[in-house]
Amino acid sequence: MPHIRHVVHTDTDALAAAAARTVAECLTERIAAAGQATLALTGGSVGIKTAAALAGSPVDWERVTIFFGDERFVPAGHPERNDGQLDEALLDSLGDRPTVHRWPARTAQDSDVDSAAARFLESLDIPGGDDPIFDVTILGMGPEGHIDSIFPHTPAVAETERMVVGVRECPKPPAERMTFTLPAVRRSRHVLVVAAGEGKAEAVARGLGGADPTEWPVAGAVGSESTTYHLDEGAASALN
């Protein structure tokens, strides 16, 4: 298994800037090697700040396909949707240069989260096997170690085959969401976990320590080539 490392930064601005530089470097290297690259973005305060720091990066965005790690199953334009926040932070500045795959929005005619997730997965036409889906995945993290909408002790964290699932009765509102699963996250070349604050310290320590992902989902987020936690001093405070 590739080495999992962590980097501690003085504050969230420095954290986001450093993570964005790493993302840009990985994307640029992949574009040089393969002609294109894929990126999975995340919501949350540090994830949004990291996306904003990417806005000025010298990436050839016309060759990048962008995904969102998860989405809240609410109507289009709802303030709780991740894509609206990420549009403001990054995507609006990129225009139509990258290809962007957006999760379905809830409508009166399309109100079943499971069928919406299944249709979205079908539209992606992800090949079987273990080849990477994402070149770079950015993940925020909750204090209980959740990533995307994969929470401890839920059907989503127990999923071992499907790449995408609908989420019901989410421990954090809104209750219905759609998410890539741990099997999908692990089909990333490079995983970057971005976390700030002492409230995340135990989850960081558990993730870096290889805890059971059903207890601490972040521990299951491992890239095939690299896994790096970008932390501020508070989030790193439980590490030896």
Side-chain angles (χ1 to χ4, degrees):
M1 181 180 294
H3 180 62
I4 301 175
R5 69 187 190 103
H6 69 277
V7 184
V8 182
H9 306 279
T10 54
D11 55 38
T12 54
D13 288 336
L15 185 166
R21 284 194 299 271
T22 299
V23 171
E25 290 168 2
C26 291
L27 293 176
T28 299
E29 288 176 4
R30 188 61 187 164
I31 291 169
Q36 58 188 4
T38 53
L39 168 65
L41 296 171
T42 189
S45 59
V46 187
I48 296 295
K49 184 168 283 194
T50 301
L54 267 174
S57 298
V59 173
D60 185 355
W61 292 106
E62 292 183 359
R63 297 179 180 273
V64 178
T65 298
I66 293 177
F67 301 84
F68 307 98
D70 70 328
E71 187 56 273
R72 288 81 181 272
F73 193 48
V74 292
H78 194 287
E80 289 188 321
R81 276 185 70 93
N82 285 330
D83 62 0
Q85 299 175 60
L86 288 163
D87 282 343
E88 183 176 350
L90 172 63
L91 299 179
D92 286 348
S93 71
L94 302 181
D96 60 359
R97 285 179 287 166
T99 298
V100 180
H101 290 288
R102 298 177 185 272
W103 296 88
R106 186 185 190 102
T107 67
Q109 296 75 31
D110 187 8
S111 60
D112 184 86
V113 68
D114 296 313
S115 61
R119 286 197 307 275
F120 178 68
L121 176 60
E122 184 177 356
S123 74
L124 299 181
D125 194 25
I126 296 172
D130 297 325
D131 289 344
I133 302 169
F134 312 113
D135 293 309
V136 183
T137 292
I138 307 171
L139 295 169
M141 184 189 66
E144 77 293 79
H146 91 263
I147 53 170
D148 291 337
S149 285
I150 308 170
F151 287 79
H153 309 295
T154 62
V157 77
E159 180 61 46
T160 60
E161 296 183 3
R162 290 179 294 172
M163 299 293 105
V164 169
V165 295
V167 176
R168 299 177 183 270
E169 298 181 2
C170 182
K172 182 179 179 181
E176 293 190 338
R177 304 172 178 219
M178 295 166 287
T179 188
F180 283 107
T181 60
L182 285 178
V185 171
R186 287 193 285 261
R187 286 177 65 178
S188 306
R189 297 181 193 277
H190 305 281
V191 168
L192 286 82
V193 177
V194 293
E198 291 185 4
K200 310 289 180 68
E202 183 179 5
V204 165
R206 298 283 189 168
L208 285 167
D212 180 350
T214 63
E215 301 276 349
W216 301 90
V218 69
V222 180
S224 62
E225 296 183 19
S226 73
T227 307
T228 306
Y229 284 58
H230 284 273
L231 312 168
D232 72 354
E233 293 175 352
S237 60
L239 300 177
N240 295 326

